[in-house]
Amino acid sequence: MRPLFRRVAQAPSGRRPTWLVLAAWLILAVALGPLAGKLGDVEDSGPNAFLPRGAESARVNTELEKFRTDTVMPAVVVYTAEGARGTAASREKAMADTAAFQKLAADGERVSRPVPSDDGEALLTVVPLDSDDGITDAVDELRGIADAQAPPGVDVEVGGPAASLTDSVAVFDSLDSTLMIATGIVVAVLLLLTYRSPVLWLFPLLSVGFAAVLTQVGTYLLAKYAGLPVDPQSAGILMVLVFGVGTDYALLLIARYREELHRHEDRHTAMRIALRRSGPAILASAGTITVGLACLAFADINSSRSLGLVGAVGVVCAFLAMVTVLPALLVVAGRWVFWPFVPRYGTAARKERTVWSRVGAAVARRPRWSWLMAVAATGVLALSASGIGMGLSQSEMFQDEPESVIAQERIAAHYPSGASDPAKIVTRSDKAAQVRKAASGVAGVARVEPGGDRTRDGELTELSVVLRDAPDSRAAKDSVDALRHAVHAVDGADARVGGTTAQTLDTQRAADSDLTTVIPIVLLVVLAVLVGLLRSLVAPVLLLATVVLSYFAALGTSNLLFEHVLGFAGVDWSIPLMGFVFLVALGIDYNIFLMHRVREEAARLGHARGVLEGLTSTGGVITSAGVVLAATFAVFAGLPLVTMAQMGVLVGVGVLLDTFVVRTVLVPALALDLGRWFWWPGRLFEALGRGRRDGRDAAPPVTRDAAREPA
């Protein structure tokens, strides 16, 4: 990688090429900028975007598109009141609303008459809406009619699939802008605190802005012309990932550039050496994260695949911006950007005793005790993950319950819980009667709706099945399993069961399968990258083990926060896998930054002194990077979607554990305790052995670059 960065470093650090790099980025931003705003045009928010590929429920959604009523999506209006007087008032209100709702119904469809509940305390009206004709506007208008002149004591809520979709869209509509603003503010504040300069913080932020434009353009083009899957959730997380990773790389490069400015009068030379020295670590980090996220392509759940592949695009774009446009901007601006702490040539950086040198000294005194205590502490936290409750119901997916969720709760209290969102069976029409009979005999089925829509060619029939239990309950999932078993047994029917409950069941099972498929692949890929970077076997295995331990500690800590602080009912099925991939890829980041510097210093100073020098040199910048990355993901905690809030908390906690425990104590202590065997069987291991036999503290240099500063 060093020869590669010798060539790459010439462009953004050379005198004339610097201006060419800036001009190229400006032309790129101006020419392709308009495409960045089109990312929303290629986002897939369809019914299969968050489902496993090939799942039975996904195949049902595909087949439902063949039916005449495929554009019809129902909204369910529920009226509740207590007492005879309230019941009479709600009946009068419901009858009046039925006539008003008719103007919103899809062409050729009729609004149902209000259906009373068995207890007489509720009425339910189904409004068929056209999903191709501004369904969110129709639901808003429907809610306006339902809320108007509601009698005292009568509660009216609009739910059903149409209202659920509207509430979800409302969340994602504000997601991108909210995340961008919040993330930008967080990063700007932390950079100001880190650099204590009124100017320097602007340069990483400006470079991240270039990376964001390139990311959005690249994602849009790949989605439009190469089939890259993009959904609203992955598009929102994408920008946070670019901000966090890009800022990390900026902090590492600027810290090394500042060091070199003390040693070299010419800032172009200083930047060239800074790129050569820090570039391989940044490249290894970007490669690890990119390949780790790309491993999600092996997942079955479409949203996981989308987030992994889209995130990989974002990391590549962030890397390109940070090793080209950021160095060019810094070189053009000159030393004054560091004001008031301008690094002067010939004045060595101050070597006062820092907190990191104190930590290193404490770890060096008792390394084995230090890593054992670190393992014990993280192990105790990891034990909390054993009691984690998996799965969230529809009502638990939002931090603040939307109206559609409240409506479902009211329906479940007075009607068969599945009345507002029935299961769907698609079968061959000539076997429809047999399938209907088989479905009616399933214990968890309340009723099979009469009739049934047919495709235009008459080959397929759709049956609606009302389940006795709430669509997201365990009992309803068991009923779907029983229903599938019953209809699959009808010879020649080719019947399939879909709907909300079936989708939840399929997603849950796919999430379990993805864990056992993706995690081993990620571990092997990351291990291969570490072996290539560190040229040893012992160090990569130990570094990977520390990150996995940190992940389980983060999962346990997050579970405690979810349960006792944030009040979440459980953990979404997608969180363990997504959290693992993000934390292994991002957590190994800091180990790469640390151990790349330690390897460089160990070749020059010897193993023990190299470990302490590497920890001291990188302590401040890696800690700043970890805090920035954790803070950017913590922005998710304030979002209304519980899934994204949990993702933000888990990644944020994990990054902080990696920063303050794993990288600060555990890894240096392991390296010091093992001595030169930490680098077995690489050339550094042999060089350190020769140095010991010759009676020297410092090892003979293993590479030309490690032996001397490049000219």
Side-chain angles (χ1 to χ4, degrees):
M1 284 185 287
R2 289 185 183 276
L4 171 64
F5 269 93
R6 284 197 187 95
R7 294 191 293 270
V8 172
Q10 299 298 323
S13 60
R15 298 184 184 277
R16 291 182 180 177
T18 296
W19 294 102
L20 294 177
V21 168
L22 291 178
W25 273 97
L26 287 173
I27 293 171
L28 191 70
V30 172
L32 300 180
L35 295 178
K38 293 186 176 182
L39 184 57
D41 297 345
V42 294
E43 290 179 4
D44 179 11
S45 56
N48 290 343
F50 296 89
L51 295 181
R53 51 182 172 179
E56 183 171 339
S57 57
R59 294 200 299 270
V60 169
N61 286 336
T62 302
E63 290 181 343
L64 286 176
E65 296 177 1
K66 303 174 183 177
F67 287 79
R68 179 183 61 82
T69 55
D70 62 341
T71 63
V72 174
M73 183 177 288
V76 180
V77 187
V78 58
Y79 304 81
T80 55
E82 294 184 0
R85 217 169 147 186
T87 302
S90 65
R91 186 180 301 110
E92 183 179 347
K93 166 68 171 167
M95 293 299 296
D97 285 350
T98 299
F101 292 157
Q102 186 59 51
K103 68 179 183 180
L104 299 175
D107 292 341
E109 300 289 337
R110 300 290 302 176
V111 177
S112 72
R113 293 180 60 83
V115 178
S117 61
D118 290 340
D119 59 14
E121 295 182 355
L123 293 165
L124 185 149
T125 300
V126 179
V127 184
L129 301 176
D130 189 342
S131 60
D132 287 344
D133 190 24
I135 196 167
T136 56
D137 293 336
V139 169
D140 290 339
E141 190 172 350
L142 194 70
R143 284 172 169 167
I145 295 173
D147 291 339
Q149 299 178 347
V154 176
D155 295 321
V156 186
E157 281 83 29
V158 178
S164 296
L165 176 62
T166 298
D167 291 337
S168 297
V169 168
V171 170
F172 284 114
D173 275 348
S174 59
L175 181 66
D176 289 350
S177 58
T178 301
L179 283 176
M180 285 289 287
I181 294 171
T183 305
I185 292 173
V186 167
V187 171
V189 170
L190 290 176
L191 287 176
L192 272 169
L193 294 175
T194 299
Y195 290 130
R196 293 173 292 167
S197 167
V199 179
L200 183 57
W201 66 276
L202 289 169
F203 288 78
L205 215 55
L206 183 60
S207 302
V208 170
F210 278 107
V213 171
L214 182 62
T215 298
Q216 290 184 321
V217 172
T219 305
Y220 168 76
L221 293 175
L222 289 172
K224 188 173 180 64
Y225 299 107
L228 178 70
V230 182
D231 60 57
Q233 178 176 286
S234 62
I237 295 177
L238 174 62
M239 287 299 98
V240 174
L241 183 63
V242 171
F243 264 83
V245 172
T247 306
D248 274 6
Y249 298 158
L251 287 167
L252 186 68
L253 177 61
I254 292 174
R256 197 59 187 257
Y257 177 48
R258 189 202 297 265
E259 286 185 36
E260 300 303 332
L261 285 174
H262 285 288
R263 300 177 183 142
H264 302 275
E265 184 175 9
D266 181 39
R267 63 182 186 273
H268 298 86
T269 302
M271 178 56 74
R272 183 167 63 253
I273 295 173
L275 273 174
R276 288 180 185 176
R277 294 290 189 169
S278 61
I282 295 175
L283 176 61
S285 167
T288 304
I289 299 175
T290 300
V291 176
L293 291 176
C295 289
L296 284 170
F298 294 97
D300 281 333
I301 299 177
N302 288 326
S303 57
S304 298
R305 294 173 58 242
S306 172
L307 181 55
L309 296 173
V310 167
V313 173
V315 173
V316 170
C317 293
F319 166 75
L320 292 175
M322 292 306 137
V323 298
T324 55
V325 69
L326 177 61
L329 287 171
L330 291 172
V331 168
V332 167
R335 297 173 184 264
W336 68 271
V337 298
F338 291 92
W339 185 87
F341 305 101
V342 179
R344 304 293 183 186
Y345 168 61
T347 60
R350 288 181 296 176
K351 293 287 187 179
E352 73 252 17
R353 189 171 171 79
T354 66
V355 64
W356 309 114
S357 61
R358 294 188 183 95
V359 169
V363 169
R365 282 195 294 271
R366 302 183 67 182
R368 184 165 301 175
W369 181 87
S370 297
W371 71 257
L372 285 174
M373 290 300 295
V375 168
T378 50
V380 169
L381 293 175
L383 289 175
S384 301
S386 60
I388 196 167
M390 297 302 301
L392 295 170
S393 67
Q394 186 65 29
S395 61
E396 295 163 349
M397 292 295 292
F398 299 89
Q399 299 211 53
D400 297 317
E401 286 189 344
E403 185 176 338
S404 59
V405 171
I406 298 173
Q408 177 58 43
E409 292 173 348
R410 298 286 171 83
I411 293 169
H414 300 284
Y415 295 87
S417 297
S420 66
D421 196 359
K424 300 290 185 181
I425 300 177
V426 175
T427 180
R428 293 182 62 85
S429 296
D430 58 344
K431 299 289 184 178
Q434 294 171 257
V435 170
R436 178 188 297 278
K437 182 179 179 180
S440 300
V442 175
V445 172
R447 66 179 183 273
V448 181
E449 299 287 7
D453 294 318
R454 290 192 176 194
T455 54
R456 293 179 180 178
D457 58 12
E459 290 188 1
L460 298 177
T461 296
E462 173 200 347
L463 301 176
S464 293
V465 181
V466 177
L467 304 178
R468 297 186 184 279
D469 303 289
D472 48 16
S473 65
R474 177 66 262 176
K477 296 172 188 174
D478 292 339
S479 298
V480 166
D481 268 336
L483 187 60
R484 283 176 168 172
H485 179 75
V487 302
H488 291 171
V490 178
D491 289 336
D494 196 22
R496 297 186 178 98
V497 179
T500 301
T501 306
Q503 293 170 9
T504 304
L505 182 62
D506 290 341
T507 301
Q508 172 184 330
R509 288 174 175 166
D512 289 338
S513 175
D514 287 347
L515 278 172
T516 58
T517 301
V518 176
I519 286 179
I521 296 174
V522 172
L523 292 176
L524 288 174
V525 167
V526 172
L527 180 62
V529 173
L530 289 175
V531 169
L533 176 71
L534 299 178
R535 311 292 175 83
S536 73
L537 290 178
V538 174
V541 170
L542 288 177
L543 293 179
L544 197 58
T546 62
V547 173
V548 172
L549 176 63
S550 174
Y551 161 74
F552 283 106
L555 191 62
T557 305
S558 299
N559 184 44
L560 294 175
L561 293 174
F562 297 157
E563 185 175 349
H564 300 293
V565 178
L566 300 174
F568 297 149
V571 177
D572 187 74
W573 288 101
S574 65
I575 293 301
L577 175 62
M578 304 305 296
F580 180 86
V581 173
F582 270 90
L583 285 179
V584 169
L586 295 173
I588 209 71
D589 223 18
Y590 302 120
N591 282 333
I592 288 175
F593 292 161
L594 170 65
M595 298 316 297
H596 182 266
R597 186 62 180 265
V598 167
R599 188 175 189 277
E600 180 182 321
E601 298 297 342
R604 188 170 61 91
L605 302 173
H607 178 72
R609 290 176 60 194
V611 171
L612 297 180
E613 180 64 25
L615 176 62
T616 303
S617 301
T618 62
V621 64
I622 294 180
T623 301
S624 299
V627 171
V628 168
L629 189 61
T632 54
F633 273 92
V635 171
F636 289 144
L639 295 178
L641 281 176
V642 169
T643 302
M644 297 191 73
Q646 290 180 341
M647 173 65 76
V649 171
L650 176 59
V651 175
V653 168
V655 169
L656 291 177
L657 283 173
D658 277 320
T659 303
F660 290 103
V661 178
V662 173
R663 194 270 312 161
T664 303
V665 177
L666 182 53
V667 170
L670 283 170
L672 289 169
D673 195 21
L674 287 174
R676 74 186 184 96
W677 287 96
F678 190 75
W679 305 106
W680 184 88
R683 285 186 295 172
L684 183 57
F685 169 77
E686 298 295 337
L688 290 168
R690 288 195 299 272
R692 178 175 296 180
R693 287 193 297 270
D694 293 340
R696 294 189 296 246
D697 292 332
V702 296
T703 66
R704 184 172 56 189
D705 285 332
R708 60 181 176 85
E709 293 292 341

